[in-house]
Amino acid sequence: MIGDIHQHVTRSLVNSLAFFSHSAYVATFEPRDVSHALSDPNWNFERNHVWDLVEPPPNCRPIGTKWVFKNKQRENGIVVRNKARLVAQGFCQKEGIDYEETFAPVARLEAIRILLAFAASKGFKLQQIDVKSAFLNGFIEEEVYVKQPPGFESARFPDRVYKLRKALCGLKQAPRAWYARLKSFLLKSGFVMGSVDKTLFLLSHGGDTQIVQIYVDNIIFGGSSHALMSREFEMSLMGELQFFLELQIKQSLESTFVHQAKYTRDILKKFNMDDSKPMTTPMSTNTALDPNEDGEAMDQREFRGMIGSLLYLTATRPDIQFAVCLCARYQASPRISHLQTVKRIFRYLKFTSELGLWYSSDSSLSLRGLSDADHAGCRIDRKSTSGTCQLLGTSLISWSSRKQASVVLSTTEAEYVAAASCCSQLLWMKATLSDFGLRFGKIPLLVDSTSAISVAKNPVLHSRTKHIDVRFHFLRDHYEKGDIDLVHIVSANQLADIFTMPLEFGAFTHLRGELGVTGWRCVDNALIKGEIENQWTGLIVLLV
């Protein structure tokens, strides 16, 4: 007991010293304006040779700028960085004059999850780096002029403007310019760009493989690639990957846990649902939403805000995917009845806020997919709902719950269309995983409809399926090529069922657990799966 107290006091002292030593170099206030910021030396404005002060050319319409100040905080509220950003008013730009192409590749969330699952399976930890003022490293080709920013006006040449050499945040071409600079540097350094994912770069040297995954100015790496990049860009090493795009990531040698607990608590507070009563499932089995045109209308902006917040939460919470997507169909004219359904989702999140995706190091790297469909599930237009999910071993990588584009005539057709959608995602994952050195033969696609499997396998039935859109018949083509293997699975084991309809508590929690959505605890620096979830489940049953 005394040893535990001593250890606790020592840890508290170390944390306190770390906080005070850090706070000595970081300002804790957020400035009101430039003059307020300059009163503290910890706010630093380096322009990095971004511009030249020049005479404005004829017919020049310089773009305005604005300073944005932000303190970056940890979960416990400690300020870790002062961020000052000069933002250009890009909405004033004219296409063909001060910008041309603006597209820049952005990593899909599925690609991020593939990297996390791969790293967990191989037993190495991912790191995160932050390039300081990333957009200021991107060179621009167009002639772009900006007004002298507030607080930095030239006393000698007040009528001059700045001609940009590099991109400012807010310019339409800024992400593209930064990506082009980073891509060029990585390729010159020996990295190879992914054949499908253009934000993935790999460098093999002997038995070591370095991986770089880019999401605009957020960079994940595995290996020692940060030492190479620090020679080209001014950067700060953020250490082990823990917080990325509102995703909280816990890594150990045995597993990786990805969740959005902080984000969940934030949106519960934002929409005044943090004191709500708990619910065991996100949607009742007897819920039947329709336009309800005679019902009381509600604020469209508020409803869309709630749906948008929940949609981003589905990045780690597949258990709410169906409910959120169903409610999202009524954003054009929301009613109070729709609001009540959305509030139930928040009530479910209240006591499951810590749940997330579990990626185990014991997971194999075998690829499989599952698909299911709810025939004519929509009460309005009688269209079916497709549910699909794809797993790498036991690690859930991607999933979807989507209303089909057209009305189908049978359950067989609905299942066939859902399987075609799942097949296309499996082919993308297969191509992406080939960049990691993984090769697959026939990928199993598990379907609980023997008739849908027969349609894909037996060309004799083609005369009965003429009305099916031609694009869905590529499922049959890829089966014949040997890319996929259609396998029957009993409905009770169909994991994709959770994405097609509301389920009762027992079936819902079973499928949720099978998908790897669980809780976690940290004991002796090791992640332990499922304990908190079990405690919460008991609490929910007790309170309802």
Side-chain angles (χ1 to χ4, degrees):
M1 181 68 178
I2 296 176
D4 292 340
I5 296 175
H6 174 72
Q7 184 178 10
H8 175 73
V9 173
T10 302
R11 187 184 300 112
S12 300
L13 180 60
V14 171
N15 291 338
S16 299
L17 290 174
F19 168 73
F20 287 117
S21 62
H22 174 78
S23 62
Y25 300 100
V26 180
T28 57
F29 68 91
E30 290 189 4
R32 297 184 299 271
D33 50 39
V34 174
S35 59
H36 188 208
L38 292 176
S39 66
D40 192 298
N42 292 307
W43 290 96
N44 183 23
F45 305 104
E46 281 192 340
R47 292 195 287 274
N48 195 24
H49 305 291
V50 176
W51 51 40
D52 295 313
L53 191 61
V54 299
E55 290 285 349
N59 301 320
C60 173
R61 298 180 60 184
I63 300 171
T65 57
K66 178 183 179 181
W67 286 104
V68 176
F69 305 100
K70 186 69 177 178
N71 283 334
K72 191 168 185 178
Q73 301 177 346
R74 293 198 184 116
E75 294 180 55
N76 54 12
I78 296 177
V79 178
V80 295
R81 188 179 309 153
N82 301 136
K83 301 184 71 174
R85 182 174 295 172
L86 182 63
V87 179
Q89 296 174 342
F91 57 86
C92 299
Q93 290 182 266
K94 301 293 183 181
E95 185 176 4
I97 300 177
D98 45 23
Y99 79 93
E100 297 290 344
E101 183 62 57
T102 62
F103 173 76
V106 176
R108 297 169 59 172
L109 284 175
E110 294 98 319
I112 303 297
R113 289 192 287 262
I114 285 177
L115 180 56
L116 291 170
F118 180 81
S121 179
K122 294 297 184 179
F124 65 87
K125 291 187 178 183
L126 297 172
Q127 308 290 319
Q128 183 177 10
I129 53 179
D130 180 38
V131 178
K132 296 181 179 179
S133 304
F135 287 168
L136 299 186
N137 290 283
F139 294 97
I140 59 175
E141 300 177 355
E142 303 87 356
E143 287 192 4
V144 181
Y145 300 89
V146 297
K147 299 176 182 177
Q148 298 183 34
F152 289 84
E153 297 91 344
S154 172
R156 293 182 57 192
F157 307 104
D159 297 329
R160 292 191 178 185
V161 296
Y162 282 111
K163 180 181 179 181
L164 295 181
R165 294 181 179 180
K166 299 180 181 180
L168 284 180
C169 183
L171 290 181
K172 295 183 182 296
Q173 65 266 50
R176 182 178 179 86
W178 158 241
Y179 172 79
R181 173 81 186 279
L182 182 56
K183 171 188 170 182
S184 176
F185 168 72
L186 291 173
L187 294 179
K188 289 180 180 178
S189 301
F191 281 83
V192 177
M193 186 167 57
S195 58
V196 176
D197 185 0
K198 302 305 179 183
T199 62
L200 176 68
F201 296 84
L202 302 102
L203 174 63
S204 297
H205 181 71
D208 183 32
T209 299
Q210 299 178 17
I211 303 173
V212 174
Q213 182 80 64
I214 304 169
Y215 192 100
V216 193
D217 58 342
N218 295 285
I219 302 173
I220 303 175
F221 70 88
S224 57
S225 52
H226 66 281
L228 175 69
M229 295 180 64
S230 62
R231 294 197 296 266
E232 178 75 7
F233 307 106
E234 185 180 358
M235 59 190 3
S236 57
L237 178 63
M238 299 178 67
E240 182 179 324
L241 179 64
Q242 296 181 337
F243 199 78
F244 186 80
L245 302 177
E246 294 290 346
L247 307 181
Q248 293 171 253
I249 301 166
K250 306 290 183 181
Q251 298 182 83
S252 71
L253 295 178
E254 296 78 20
S255 58
T256 297
F257 184 71
V258 188
H259 64 112
Q260 291 171 281
K262 179 180 182 298
Y263 177 78
T264 303
R265 292 191 294 268
D266 289 345
I267 63 174
L268 284 169
K269 183 177 181 180
K270 177 181 178 180
F271 297 108
N272 300 316
M273 296 295 294
D274 47 341
D275 293 327
S276 58
K277 294 182 180 179
M279 296 299 295
T280 57
T281 59
M283 181 171 285
S284 171
T285 54
N286 57 12
T287 299
L289 291 183
D290 55 40
N292 191 18
E293 296 178 354
D294 297 329
E296 182 182 353
M298 67 159 297
D299 182 17
Q300 187 183 79
R301 185 174 181 179
E302 178 186 359
F303 188 81
R304 288 183 174 181
M306 299 174 80
I307 292 296
S309 299
L310 290 172
L311 282 172
Y312 191 71
L313 185 57
T314 60
T316 59
R317 296 296 299 271
D319 50 329
I320 65 171
Q321 180 82 35
F322 172 77
V324 174
C325 290
L326 180 60
C327 294
R329 300 174 188 174
Y330 302 97
Q331 295 181 79
S333 182
R335 307 294 173 178
I336 294 298
S337 58
H338 305 144
L339 176 63
Q340 296 304 320
T341 305
V342 172
K343 284 187 174 181
R344 172 164 178 144
I345 302 175
F346 278 97
R347 293 173 63 188
Y348 167 72
L349 293 173
K350 168 62 179 177
F351 285 93
T352 59
S353 62
E354 301 288 337
L355 296 188
L357 294 174
W358 185 273
Y359 295 151
S360 174
S361 59
D362 296 329
S363 173
S364 66
L365 292 174
S366 59
L367 183 60
R368 63 190 171 110
L370 299 97
S371 72
D372 196 16
D374 179 27
H375 179 234
C378 182
R379 296 181 58 189
I380 305 170
D381 51 21
R382 309 310 295 175
K383 292 180 181 178
S384 304
T385 300
S386 295
T388 65
C389 60
Q390 294 77 30
L391 297 96
L392 193 60
T394 59
S395 302
L396 182 63
I397 301 299
S398 65
W399 55 90
S400 70
S401 176
R402 187 173 302 166
K403 187 164 71 169
Q404 295 180 4
S406 58
V407 177
V408 297
L409 302 181
S410 64
T411 301
T412 298
E413 187 178 347
E415 296 276 3
Y416 187 76
V417 171
S421 175
C422 184
C423 176
S424 64
Q425 182 72 357
L426 285 173
L427 295 176
W428 176 83
M429 291 180 62
K430 178 181 179 180
T432 300
L433 288 165
S434 67
D435 294 326
F436 290 87
L438 302 178
R439 300 291 184 267
F440 302 95
K442 286 188 176 181
I443 303 173
L445 199 170
L446 309 179
V447 183
D448 61 3
S449 171
T450 56
S451 56
I453 294 176
S454 298
V455 170
K457 289 184 176 181
N458 189 359
V460 176
L461 296 177
H462 178 66
S463 60
R464 299 184 182 180
T465 57
K466 278 186 174 181
H467 62 282
I468 299 179
D469 197 326
V470 175
R471 61 182 174 176
F472 298 119
H473 285 306
F474 88 101
L475 174 66
R476 179 182 298 164
D477 294 337
H478 285 286
Y479 171 77
E480 294 175 352
K481 292 177 182 178
D483 294 330
I484 63 167
D485 184 21
L486 291 166
V487 180
H488 181 258
I489 185 174
V490 296
S491 298
N493 297 329
Q494 178 56 273
L495 303 184
D497 199 32
I498 198 173
F499 303 113
T500 62
M501 65 183 74
L503 301 173
E504 53 88 18
F505 176 73
F508 178 80
T509 53
H510 169 71
L511 294 181
R512 184 182 66 188
E514 290 295 314
L515 288 172
V517 181
T518 183
W520 69 283
R521 288 186 62 189
C522 185
V523 177
D524 296 330
N525 294 323
L527 299 180
I528 297 179
K529 177 181 179 181
E531 292 191 15
I532 294 181
E533 179 189 8
N534 294 334
Q535 295 175 7
W536 285 343
T537 303
L539 179 62
I540 291 173
V541 173
L542 178 65
L543 293 176
V544 169

